[in-house]
């Protein structure tokens, strides 16, 4: 139980123990969510979260002295940032430090999917090469990639596609003045004109099932879907049906709607490459993300400006 003479940071789950918890423990008691009670709630000044459990208005209402929610990750759909803003609570996330890592993984997943790298690996391991050559497969040549979401990571992905000589177009909520690529106001229209769709938009209610059966059908039987955003952005049932029926060529997925629970139907598909949400999973990048969580919490609790407040937290304050 925390020492009531010291302020506390509430942890909704393990948050980069060797970076976040080690540094914060020097100044604050670290309070696991399951230890929160009426007796401990008043000590909580900050929440450190990485999407394990929802930080909603009900939780924040129990914490009268809460100042900041530090989210470990760019996506913060498990934090009710609107409710936090109403309460004067700052919400921060960890943008930029993971852009390049996620963009690298996206191109790796695209290549693994279109060139069937996991399938070819199994072909060798199973001894089937001794019986004949691996069948010819699809290619990136002649394809146009459509990026759904042209934020920081989307732009990093676009730079990598340039190096591969692959044409790129995009759809986002609004046209980006600094992006010199064809813009589509309609996702469905873009899906009709491309053969690869890369999904890199935030999760949450506004984007739930944005990629639905109609969008998948528009991609067509030569189409490839790459999702490195949130599993909820794609209608998984529609995606499974499209992969099983061949109305979509293949999918490369780093995220799932109910992860770590993945529908078992995916496991039997040879036209799907499945990853366990590892877009930013390197020691280097996770340490940088953890440090940004720490720096934001310390700044706010020391009366300074947050480094990376989210859009729902207008800053500087009027």
């Amino acid at each position: 139980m925390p020492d009531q003479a010291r302020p506390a940071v509430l942890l909704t789950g393990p948050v980069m123990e060797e970076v976040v918890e080690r540094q914060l423990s020097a100044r604050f008691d670290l309070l696991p969510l399951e230890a929160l009670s009426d007796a401990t709630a008043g000590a909580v000044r900050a929440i450190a979260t990485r999407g394990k459990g929802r930080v909603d208005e009900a939780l924040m209402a129990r914490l009268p002295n809460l100042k900041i929610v530090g989210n470990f990750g760019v996506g913060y759909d498990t934090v009710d940032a609107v409710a936090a803003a109403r309460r004067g609570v700052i919400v921060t996330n960890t943008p930029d430090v993971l852009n390049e890592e996620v963009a690298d993984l996206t191109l790796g997943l695209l290549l693994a999917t279109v060139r069937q790298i996991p399938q070819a690996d199994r072909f060798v391991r199973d001894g089937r090469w001794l019986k004949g050559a691996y069948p010819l497969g699809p290619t990136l040549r002649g394809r146009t990639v459509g990026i759904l979401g042209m934020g920081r990571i989307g732009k990093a992905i676009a730079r990598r596609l340039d190096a591969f000589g692959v044409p790129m177009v995009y759809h986002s909520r609004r046209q980006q003045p600094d992006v010199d690529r064809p813009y589509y106001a309609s996702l469905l229209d873009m899906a009709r004109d491309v053969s690869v769709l890369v999904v890199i938009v935030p999760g949450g209610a506004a984007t739930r099932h944005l990629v639905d059966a109609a969008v998948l059908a528009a991609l067509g039987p030569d189409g490839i879907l790459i999702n490195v955003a949130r599993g909820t952005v794609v209608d998984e049932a529609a995606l499974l049906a499209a992969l099983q029926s061949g109305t979509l060529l293949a999918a490369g997925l780093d995220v799932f709607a109910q992860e770590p629970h993945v529908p078992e139907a995916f496991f039997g598909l040879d036209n799907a490459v499945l990853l366990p949400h590892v877009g930013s999973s390197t020691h280097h990048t996770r340490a940088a993300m953890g440090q940004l969580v720490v720096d934001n919490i310390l700044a706010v609790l020391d009366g300074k400006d947050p480094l990376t407040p989210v859009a729902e937290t207008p800053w500087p304050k009027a």
Side-chain angles (χ1 to χ4, degrees):
M1 180 176 294
D3 177 352
Q4 292 303 299
R6 298 182 77 201
V9 174
L10 184 67
L11 306 176
T12 65
V15 185
M16 199 67 189
E17 293 93 330
E18 64 271 30
V19 177
V20 178
E21 297 181 26
R22 176 175 55 80
Q23 293 188 53
L24 292 179
S25 63
R27 286 185 49 184
F28 308 98
D29 285 312
L30 303 184
L31 180 67
L33 183 59
E34 57 270 20
L36 180 64
S37 67
D38 291 343
T40 60
V44 174
R45 303 292 189 274
I47 297 175
T49 182
R50 61 179 302 172
K52 303 294 184 183
R54 183 161 178 78
V55 179
D56 57 15
E57 187 155 23
L59 175 59
M60 289 184 278
R62 298 180 63 189
L63 308 172
N65 297 309
L66 180 66
K67 304 297 183 187
I68 177 174
V69 178
N71 184 77
F72 183 92
V74 175
Y76 52 96
D77 44 298
T78 59
V79 178
D80 189 339
V82 173
R86 286 199 301 266
R87 293 181 165 275
V89 174
I90 294 166
V91 178
T92 62
N93 63 346
T94 59
D96 293 323
V97 293
L98 51 67
N99 296 353
E100 304 305 321
E101 211 77 82
V102 176
D104 288 348
L105 189 281
T106 303
L107 266 293
L109 184 55
L110 173 58
L111 287 173
T113 302
V114 73
R115 294 302 309 274
Q116 303 175 345
I117 292 173
Q119 297 90 325
D121 175 86
R122 291 193 297 270
F123 186 84
V124 174
R125 293 175 188 271
D126 294 344
R128 285 179 282 164
W129 196 10
L130 298 171
K131 302 174 184 177
Y134 188 79
L136 300 181
T139 179
L140 271 180
R141 300 311 107 207
R143 292 183 180 273
T144 297
V145 174
I147 298 182
L148 171 54
M150 190 49 70
R152 299 177 180 92
I153 300 174
K155 291 171 184 174
I157 293 169
R159 292 195 300 270
R160 284 157 175 77
L161 288 170
D162 282 342
F164 281 84
V166 177
M168 189 278 298
V169 300
Y170 75 101
H171 166 75
S172 60
R173 286 177 296 178
R174 62 186 67 88
Q175 189 168 2
Q176 302 292 313
D178 59 339
V179 177
D180 185 23
R181 310 296 172 91
Y183 168 73
Y184 282 77
S186 163
L187 172 58
L188 192 60
D189 287 345
M190 184 177 78
R192 292 190 183 104
D193 288 351
V194 302
S195 55
V196 178
L197 178 62
V198 174
V199 182
I200 185 65
V201 290
T207 59
R208 178 174 175 78
H209 290 185
L210 188 59
V211 178
D212 57 13
V215 171
L216 296 171
L219 276 174
D222 193 42
I224 294 172
L225 175 75
I226 304 295
N227 189 5
V228 290
R230 286 289 188 267
T232 54
V233 178
V234 176
D235 183 336
E236 276 189 354
L239 175 59
L240 274 168
L243 291 170
Q244 289 167 337
S245 66
T247 55
L248 187 72
L249 180 64
L253 308 173
D254 186 42
V255 290
F256 301 87
Q258 300 294 330
E259 57 189 50
H261 303 287
V262 178
E264 291 189 6
F266 278 115
F267 301 158
L269 295 175
D270 203 40
N271 57 346
V273 178
L274 314 176
L275 301 182
H277 201 155
V278 292
S280 63
S281 294
T282 67
H283 294 291
H284 169 83
T285 292
R286 288 292 174 87
M289 292 166 63
Q291 189 61 55
L292 191 48
V293 172
V294 170
D295 292 345
N296 271 300
I297 289 176
L298 293 181
V300 170
L301 296 187
D302 285 341
K304 301 175 183 176
D305 292 349
L307 281 70
T308 53
V310 303
E312 292 86 350
T313 299
W315 205 266
K317 289 185 176 180

